[in-house]
Amino acid sequence: MGNIFHLYFVQPLFNLLVAFYKVFEVINVPGKLGLAIIAFTVFIRLVMYPLFKKQMDTTKKMQDLKPHLDLLNEKHKNDKQKLQQEQLRLYQEAGINPAAGCLLAIVQIPVFIALYNALNFFINHGVGAANLAKINKEIYFAQLKITTIDVNFLGYVLTKTPANGGAWWYYLIPVITGILQYFQASVTMVTPVAAPAKKDKNGKDIEKKPDTGEDFQKAMQTQMKYMFPVMIGFFSYNFPVALSLYWNVFSIFSIIQAVKTSKTAMVKSESSK
């Protein structure tokens, strides 16, 4: 299974990364590996944009439906079959598949693993003639074979980790990584729409009972927003700078695309009123 995954996922992405490296080698610019990682990440992010947009749209629609789903849960709490029928009807009217967001996330998992392995292979075999020979064995075309690897980029050695970088600016990497992850979590999380308040016979609002599910969701979002960036920053402290570069460029594009998607949805919402 490992060989199949390497053959059909890791090796193609690895060759794509090397192809970008060869482009910058032909241009003869410094920081070839760093530029190749950036170009590689941008390319992958653009290819995956339709999946990302679909996932964001589905998440937004699901959040917008939450007040209506809460009302259905209250109305049909004693009739599970009727509740499922009404929920399905609501989803169909909104034009969404509740499982779409999860399925898209699952599809992306092997892609992310393959990307990580491709980068890791390049980094771990980047020194010495013997290791270059191992890299070239993975190359599809003779034109892509490399003889040297430039691992320097903007004052960083991409194969080093911030933990053993030996200079103060290496410590900026986990800080920048954590900050970018925080902003990514902030713009990709959609705030749930509150259900309309119920009225009594006199027109006064009925006190809403605590929603443990909603409280749990808010707690999870808070954890993702604050704890996850700290965790990712810690990981980047012990990972090669090259992997952090890939992760940070990916995060920047996620932020840009999430903001763009949100603005587009807002414009559509305003025009439909």
Side-chain angles (χ1 to χ4, degrees), residues 147-211:
T147 56
T148 59
I149 298 179
D150 179 9
V151 296
N152 297 297
F153 184 69
L154 300 179
Y156 292 94
V157 178
L158 295 176
T159 54
K160 287 186 176 182
T161 69
N164 62 17
W168 65 267
W169 53 84
Y170 279 87
Y171 298 121
L172 295 176
I173 297 296
V175 175
I176 293 172
T177 302
I179 290 173
L180 286 175
Q181 191 60 46
Y182 169 80
F183 280 112
Q184 181 180 346
S186 298
V187 298
T188 54
M189 287 181 182
V190 184
T191 304
V193 180
K198 294 182 180 180
K199 306 285 185 179
D200 59 17
K201 294 181 180 180
N202 298 321
K204 294 182 179 180
D205 291 342
I206 300 175
E207 185 177 354
K208 186 180 178 181
K209 296 180 180 179
D211 188 342

Side-chain angles (χ1 to χ4, degrees), residues 31-49:
K32 301 175 188 63
L33 180 56
L35 293 173
I37 291 172
I38 292 173
F40 171 79
T41 310
V42 171
F43 176 82
I44 294 297
R45 202 65 179 91
L46 290 175
V47 170
M48 294 180 64
Y49 177 69

